[in-house]
């Protein structure tokens, strides 16, 4: 009797988490800050209009990402950039236009992020990026990423402004926290899934503070670079990285949690 056909392995459409991933991720989060500020501040469209624009781009990109059959680097990173710009404008709208402040906004977004991760783990048994191989897992993945990007923006503003450290001080704090995670990765057995999401969250406020450092006025502690120009340079750098640095889809790991 012939063996029954086996179900084909589902293909991952997210990239393997290696150094290339983190280089592009940090650049993308910085672009999210300068790009979001370009639309809301330089173009004077405001936080609400900026949020509507970038949220629409994000929804369209996520739907496209879910509909494709394999990993496409430019589509994936385009969706990441859409999520980080949407996160920038959404966090600024919540913190400033709604008046809940950086502390309140950070606490609210952290609660949303942790609940999304808990629901994802409860529903599917794993929050590892290596397990993102079905439309349901992809939806959880992108919702989690959007909350983490928005939280990162709020955290960056909270440390720099409410914490009084300024943009340079905030960038140093988040860079130091990321170095600690690197040390935990290489020299401890701490959960790799936990370290990934912690690093993913912390790269966003690092990008936010660096982006603010680049484009804020001199009297507010920034370097007063042109927001559109800084955004164009960052976009060109990301494009070159995607084009020149090899990437492949995440490989399946058994029992990833």
């Amino acid at each position: 009797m012939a063996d029954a056909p086996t179900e084909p392995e589902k293909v991952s459409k997210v990239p393997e988490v290696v150094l290339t991933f983190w280089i592009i991720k940090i650049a993308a989060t910085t672009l999210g800050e300068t790009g979001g500020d370009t639309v809301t501040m330089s173009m004077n469209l405001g936080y609400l209009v900026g949020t509507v624009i970038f949220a629409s781009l994000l929804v369209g990109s996520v739907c496209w990402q879910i509909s494709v059959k394999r990993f496409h680097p430019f589509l994936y990173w385009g969706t990441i950039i859409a999520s980080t710009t949407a996160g920038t404008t959404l966090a600024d709208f919540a913190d400033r236009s709604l008046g809940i402040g950086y502390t309140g906004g950070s606490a609210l977004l952290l609660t949303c992020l942790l609940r999304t991760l808990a629901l994802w783990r409860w529903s599917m048994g794993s929050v590892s990026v290596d397990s993102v191989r079905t439309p349901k897992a992809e939806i959880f993945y992108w919702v989690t990423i959007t909350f983490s990007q928005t939280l990162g923006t709020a955290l960056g503003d909270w440390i720099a402004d409410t914490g009084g450290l300024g943009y340079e001080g905030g960038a140093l704090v988040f860079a130091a926290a990321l170095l600690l995670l690197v040390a935990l990765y290489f020299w401890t057995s701490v959960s790799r899934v936990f370290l990934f999401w912690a690093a993913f969250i912390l790269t966003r406020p690092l990008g936010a503070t660096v982006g603010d450092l680049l484009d804020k006025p001199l009297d507010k502690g920034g370097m007063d670079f042109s927001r559109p120009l800084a955004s164009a340079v960052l976009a060109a750098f990301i494009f070159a990285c995607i084009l020149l640095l090899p990437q492949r889809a995440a490989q399946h790991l058994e029992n990833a949690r």
Side-chain angles (χ1 to χ4, degrees):
M1 179 182 294
D3 294 334
T6 58
E7 182 180 353
E9 182 181 1
K10 295 181 175 65
V11 177
S12 175
K13 292 178 283 181
V14 301
E16 186 178 30
V17 181
V18 294
L19 181 59
T20 298
F21 176 91
W22 294 114
I23 292 172
I24 301 175
K25 169 62 165 64
I26 292 172
T29 59
T30 309
L31 174 57
E33 190 69 21
T34 60
D37 288 348
T38 295
V39 170
T40 59
M41 297 180 184
S42 297
M43 297 175 66
N44 293 316
L45 294 181
Y47 300 125
L48 179 58
V49 172
T51 298
V52 172
I53 291 172
F54 290 121
S56 299
L57 290 173
L58 174 60
V59 171
S61 297
V62 169
C63 290
W64 189 5
Q65 171 76 14
I66 291 174
S67 70
V68 299
K69 303 302 182 184
R70 61 185 179 85
F71 171 56
H72 295 277
F74 283 102
L75 174 58
Y76 174 83
W77 287 110
T79 308
I80 287 289
I81 292 170
S83 74
T84 193
T85 47
T88 295
T89 55
L90 179 59
D92 287 342
F93 176 71
D95 296 341
R96 300 169 188 175
S97 297
L98 295 183
I100 62 177
Y102 299 133
T103 304
S106 298
L108 174 63
L109 290 164
L110 178 60
T111 300
C112 292
L113 175 61
L114 293 177
R115 288 185 175 179
T116 301
L117 283 168
L119 180 59
W120 182 2
R121 174 65 187 273
W122 174 82
S123 176
M124 305 203 68
S126 174
V127 295
S128 169
V129 296
D130 302 311
S131 67
V132 181
R133 295 169 181 270
T134 65
K136 183 178 180 180
E138 286 186 86
I139 291 172
F140 274 118
Y141 178 80
W142 288 110
V143 170
T144 302
I145 279 180
T146 301
F147 277 134
S148 73
Q149 304 278 41
T150 311
L151 170 63
T153 300
L155 281 177
D157 289 339
W158 180 60
I159 288 290
D161 294 337
T162 305
L165 295 180
Y167 303 125
E168 291 181 355
L172 289 174
V173 166
F174 293 117
L178 285 168
L179 288 176
L180 175 59
L181 294 180
V182 170
L184 291 174
Y185 178 86
F186 283 108
W187 293 305
T188 74
S189 58
V190 174
S191 166
R192 276 23 186 176
V193 175
F194 167 79
L195 291 177
F196 169 81
W197 285 113
F200 197 97
I201 293 167
L202 287 174
T203 51
R204 181 63 187 96
L206 174 63
T209 50
V210 171
D212 283 336
L213 177 64
L214 290 174
D215 67 24
K216 294 301 183 187
L218 294 174
D219 60 357
K220 293 185 178 181
M223 301 174 70
D224 203 22
F225 288 162
S226 163
R227 293 185 184 110
L229 178 59
S231 300
V233 171
L234 287 164
F237 174 77
I238 293 169
F239 182 88
C241 286
I242 298 172
L243 194 64
L244 300 175
L245 299 179
Q247 295 184 74
R248 64 178 184 178
Q251 304 299 303
H252 180 67
L253 297 178
E254 293 294 335
N255 300 320
R257 291 291 185 268

